[in-house]
Amino acid sequence: MSKQTYFLSTPIYYVNGSPHLGHAYTSTAADVLARWQRLRGLDVFFLTGTDEHGQKVEAAAKQAGIAPLEFANRVSDDFRDMAKQMNISNDDFIRTTEARHKASCQEIWRRIQANGFIELGAYEGYYAVRDEAYYDESETILKPDGTRVAASSGAPVEWVVEPSYFFKLSTFQDRLLAYYEQNPGFIAPTAKRNEIVSFVKSGLRDLSISRTKFSWGIPVPGDEAHVMYVWLDALVNYITACGFPDLEGPRGKFWPADLHLVGKEIIRFHAVYWPAFLMAANLPLPRRVFSHGWWTVEGEKMSKSLGNFIDVRPLTEEFGLDQVRYFLLREVPFGNDGDFSRKALVGRINADLANGLGNLAQRTLSFIAKNAEGVLPARGEMHEADHALLELAQNLPSRVAEAMDKLAFHEALDEVWRVIRAADTYIDSQAPWALRKTDAARMKAVLRMICEVLRVIGVVLQPFMPETMARLLEYLGIAPEARDLAGLDTPMVDLTPLPAPQGLFPRVTEAA
Ligand code: MSP
């Protein structure tokens, strides 16, 4: 039987500026999920990439004094580098300037047009280049200085009058509402779902899907004076990567997507426009769109004017990659907004990682190296406390799975730390250091229990902290091919020689 497939994506990132904390966050969350699904044995396709067309990128290139493609090449490489440095396990990296994507977009356009959902007209209204979005006057505010901005994002808007092709979005209102109703999990979290449902209920206007004022985009088939609206171009990336128009090819099995992970400001594009485009082209719709919150930095919004964009790469060098990945997913309930501060990062590293998991592993493994011949002790007679601890650990994967299904990464981690605390309490009450003199057999049995618990913890934490957990599992003598969830069903092998353990998470001493 062929394996169940799972296709998930990050948004494709605009190449007008360098990668920062916000991008690293979306990518890391998606990566944790991709690794989790692989751990479950699914056939995963994990996609990320860059969004390279449109007025915003064209303007940034102009400012840099180079051609748009050269500019896009440079910044796209930087995003690729970020993915590499964050240990993002994407299976493909799509760029909207690639030939495969141009072909795919033009084919989608032709299908939507053939089905009668595109018509030529003229756009007259507001446009915000920073958001690459059209706004109704009621969605803008006039500031005291006379400039007009989008109310939701604060991006300046300009008045645009130009010939444009329109997508008949208004005809999809009922079908979209029916889809949301029949697929209650399509938009998450629930608050976002409600927001989108009431937006669609309030009435949809036809959408301008081509521009004529500039040329940095994919030409409209049959009318080269127009380039496609960058959001139509961008959204199509997800199906391009599955091989569209050839969905019979090797990647075709991954469409429709299981999950589009997006930031909250772009949910409307993914939960309204994208399904409508697909309906218009008679293509299957994605199963889920999940929107996460935004980070502020030391209490401030990241912005050009404050110059406080954080690049996480130097932080990973300073504090450790897995430490930063852990922090991003533990600090804020996924879906909520959060604040990034060095103090909070250092606090989490020391409390949860160095003193929590790191200490549990180190004191157990170094004790075995010194007092139990450096091999995995055999199980002894099971005491009540052993059963209780083991049961807690054995139930951990299913509790983590429940949280991961809801993308509640913080809850998944909470479950793991509950087990870590229980293991700490167990060691303190069993006191193997005292047993060393009085009952060496029981001492070994106790150490074996902790190793079993550490194995489960190491396995389920791999998606969050892949490198460090690979080390932990190696110290426990678990072969690389036995590190997935199914591997947990195989008993650990008595007396396996264990390599000398090294500390997993150094304490950070910086004055917080
Ligand atoms: N190009 C579009 C997406 C097209 S997808 C078909 C785009 N790109 S982006 O580069 O502006 O942002 C992409 C992602 O970064 C979004 O998910 C967004 O939420 C995330 N973040 C940008 N700043 C952020 C924070 N300050 N905090 C958390 N994530 C934020 O939008």
Side-chain angles (χ1 to χ4, degrees):
M1 211 180 78
S2 62
K3 286 205 262 179
Q4 189 188 335
T5 60
Y6 192 91
F7 170 28
L8 83 164
S9 64
T10 73
I12 46 172
Y13 303 114
Y14 284 128
V15 293
N16 64 304
S18 304
H20 60 62
L21 171 66
H23 309 117
Y25 184 51
T26 313
S27 286
T28 306
D31 183 59
V32 170
L33 206 64
R35 289 176 186 269
W36 171 255
Q37 302 297 3
R38 292 189 197 110
L39 209 63
R40 292 181 56 214
L42 269 54
D43 183 5
V44 171
F45 176 39
F46 172 24
L47 177 69
T48 189
T50 43
D51 186 355
E52 308 187 6
H53 290 129
Q55 218 175 341
K56 172 155 90 168
V57 171
E58 193 184 69
K62 198 165 175 198
Q63 210 186 1
I66 52 178
L69 185 59
E70 195 187 337
F71 184 75
N73 287 342
R74 199 183 282 175
V75 185
S76 181
D77 280 349
D78 203 18
F79 274 98
R80 237 183 246 267
D81 176 75
M82 180 197 74
K84 194 157 164 254
Q85 286 206 39
M86 293 298 291
N87 202 1
I88 305 300
S89 62
N90 53 295
D91 300 294
D92 194 356
F93 187 101
I94 189 165
R95 302 186 52 188
T96 54
T97 46
E98 289 169 335
R100 60 171 168 163
H101 184 61
K102 180 177 173 188
S104 159
C105 275
Q106 292 189 328
E107 179 57 23
I108 289 258
W109 182 286
R110 278 190 287 265
R111 290 194 192 181
I112 299 178
Q113 194 165 40
N115 290 337
F117 296 112
I118 292 181
E119 64 188 17
L120 187 59
Y123 179 75
E124 193 170 334
Y126 291 106
Y127 191 80
V129 175
R130 201 169 85 195
D131 299 342
E132 296 285 16
Y134 303 95
Y135 289 106
D136 196 38
E137 181 155 332
S138 63
E139 296 172 306
T140 67
I141 40 181
L142 192 58
K143 294 213 299 188
D145 65 2
T147 56
R148 192 176 279 280
V149 297
S152 54
S153 65
V157 296
E158 62 190 26
W159 185 254
V160 171
V161 182
E162 61 184 338
S164 175
Y165 284 94
F166 281 82
F167 171 66
K168 291 192 185 168
L169 183 61
S170 56
T171 54
F172 289 92
Q173 184 170 349
D174 292 343
R175 283 178 66 185
L176 284 168
L177 290 171
Y179 188 71
Y180 304 151
E181 176 108 23
Q182 285 151 18
N183 301 275
F186 175 59
I187 306 166
T190 316
K192 282 289 152 197
R193 175 180 168 23
N194 297 341
E195 217 178 282
I196 293 293
V197 170
S198 63
F199 169 73
V200 174
K201 277 194 177 147
S202 74
L204 294 174
R205 307 212 288 152
D206 291 346
L207 179 71
S208 158
I209 49 164
S210 75
R211 304 286 317 266
T212 42
K213 285 261 161 73
F214 63 93
S215 56
W216 183 236
I218 296 182
V220 165
D223 190 350
E224 306 241 325
H226 292 249
V227 293
M228 290 184 204
Y229 172 38
V230 65
W231 267 104
L232 170 57
D233 164 343
L235 288 161
V236 170
N237 93 83
Y238 301 127
I239 199 165
T240 302
C242 292
F244 184 81
D246 178 18
L247 290 179
E248 297 305 312
R251 285 268 183 76
K253 65 180 177 191
F254 290 108
W255 191 259
D258 292 274
L259 175 72
H260 294 312
L261 197 64
V262 302
K264 63 180 181 180
E265 81 290 6
I266 55 174
I267 184 85
R268 191 186 288 186
F269 300 96
H270 284 83
V272 182
Y273 301 168
W274 181 222
F277 294 149
L278 290 164
M279 284 174 181
N282 282 329
L283 288 162
L285 311 194
R287 300 200 170 90
R288 190 169 217 209
V289 179
F290 193 105
S291 117
H292 67 68
W294 269 50
W295 287 89
T296 48
V297 171
E298 311 278 351
E300 306 260 22
K301 195 174 169 198
M302 278 190 284
S303 76
K304 268 211 179 112
S305 49
L306 289 172
N308 61 344
F309 282 100
I310 286 213
D311 182 346
V312 288
R313 289 171 286 187
L315 288 174
T316 65
E317 275 153 28
E318 187 177 353
F319 295 106
L321 168 61
D322 284 346
Q323 285 85 335
V324 173
R325 289 174 56 109
Y326 170 79
F327 174 79
L328 291 177
L329 292 162
R330 178 64 190 82
E331 184 67 3
V332 182
F334 201 63
N336 293 7
D337 292 338
D339 183 54
F340 184 95
S341 71
R342 281 179 75 93
K343 190 168 167 213
L345 174 62
V346 170
R348 285 262 172 222
I349 293 176
N350 285 339
D352 302 0
L353 298 178
N355 297 347
L357 176 56
N359 184 45
L360 174 67
Q362 188 60 18
R363 66 174 169 156
T364 307
L365 293 164
S366 61
F367 197 85
I368 291 177
K370 280 198 208 103
N371 303 301
E373 297 94 44
V375 297
L376 178 74
R379 269 199 195 186
E381 199 183 309
M382 298 277 288
H383 292 199
E384 206 168 299
D386 306 352
H387 282 297
L389 181 68
L390 206 56
E391 196 182 308
L392 198 67
Q394 282 165 348
N395 290 334
L396 182 60
S398 67
R399 289 199 306 275
V400 169
E402 236 172 83
M404 296 299 273
D405 279 348
K406 307 184 280 184
L407 274 74
F409 301 107
H410 61 292
E411 279 178 28
L413 292 169
D414 244 5
E415 292 291 350
V416 177
W417 259 259
R418 244 165 46 115
V419 177
I420 293 174
R421 282 191 300 272
D424 276 335
T425 309
Y426 171 88
I427 301 200
D428 291 344
S429 68
Q430 301 300 317
W433 47 88
L435 291 168
R436 190 162 61 101
K437 299 239 169 67
T438 57
D439 188 347
R442 176 64 190 154
M443 172 197 80
K444 288 184 179 172
V446 165
L447 293 170
R448 168 62 178 261
M449 282 300 107
I450 317 277
C451 288
E452 301 222 7
V453 171
L454 281 172
R455 168 167 75 148
V456 181
I457 291 171
V459 166
V460 301
L461 283 181
Q462 287 174 103
F464 294 87
M465 300 186 279
E467 285 175 352
T468 320
M469 291 308 105
R471 276 172 54 210
L472 173 60
L473 292 168
E474 187 196 324
Y475 298 156
L476 290 165
I478 312 294
E481 61 281 5
R483 293 178 187 171
D484 58 2
L485 290 178
L488 285 173
D489 296 337
T490 314
M492 293 176 90
V493 181
D494 293 352
L495 310 183
T496 305
L498 303 182
Q502 304 282 316
L504 296 177
F505 305 105
R507 244 192 101 75
V508 181
T509 48
E510 114 168 343

